[in-house]
Amino acid sequence: MAIFLIRHGETTGNANRVVQLPETRLSERGIAQAERLGARLAGDGITRILSSDYARAHRTAEEIAATTDLPIEIEETLRERNFGDLRGRPYSKVGDIFAEGFEPPGGESWETFYERAERSWLAVRAAADTTQ
């Protein structure tokens, strides 16, 4: 069994070094990246596609779905860490948001994020186990 962990294509937030908002979409470059990824994975025997509900992740998954004829299953635990009130702000203005112990105002602490990521991995593994 192989599990592919894929990050979404580029967004303007990525390119401009801005903490992303949930509704941030792929840039034109990100769409092209997603298209290339879908083509690259077309023959790799993918049997299931899980995606967060964020537009950028779902749009990336759509390109894989288009080449595999598989539906996209939404798994909200796959969302990136919630940086709360810092979303939409440049990284240069918010300090080291990835520092151990950093708790963004209105967002997830490392502990909360880690627990969600652990639940997410268990969901991914369970999905993989049901397709074997």
Side-chain angles (χ1 to χ4, degrees):
M1 160 185 59
I3 297 174
F4 295 88
L5 300 177
I6 299 168
R7 188 171 190 272
H8 58 77
E10 181 189 78
T11 67
T12 55
N14 295 141
N16 295 326
R17 303 290 301 141
V18 171
V19 181
Q20 298 196 78
L21 297 162
E23 63 271 14
T24 301
R25 297 188 177 282
L26 294 181
S27 65
E28 289 302 315
R29 181 177 183 202
I31 292 170
Q33 290 169 337
E35 290 169 348
R36 285 193 310 273
L37 177 67
R40 162 62 182 83
L41 296 176
D44 283 355
I46 293 172
T47 58
R48 204 155 185 187
I49 302 170
L50 301 177
S51 173
S52 86
D53 57 338
Y54 284 1
R56 56 191 171 271
H58 196 272
R59 179 67 177 87
T60 301
E62 285 175 348
E63 293 301 327
I64 300 166
T67 62
T68 60
D69 292 325
L70 292 169
I72 299 169
E73 300 173 50
I74 298 300
E75 177 58 54
E76 291 181 2
T77 62
L78 288 171
R79 291 177 179 170
E80 64 190 35
R81 185 176 175 194
N82 177 354
F83 286 103
D85 299 342
L86 302 179
R87 291 190 240 179
R89 297 177 65 190
Y91 282 100
S92 62
K93 305 284 187 199
V94 296
D96 185 2
I97 63 175
F98 302 108
E100 186 176 341
F102 177 78
E103 292 193 29
E108 288 180 299
S109 67
W110 268 113
E111 293 78 16
T112 301
F113 173 66
Y114 179 81
E115 289 169 9
R116 181 168 58 83
E118 186 172 39
R119 287 192 317 274
S120 180
W121 180 242
L122 292 173
V124 168
R125 289 295 309 267
D129 288 345
T130 62
T131 57
Q132 288 187 0

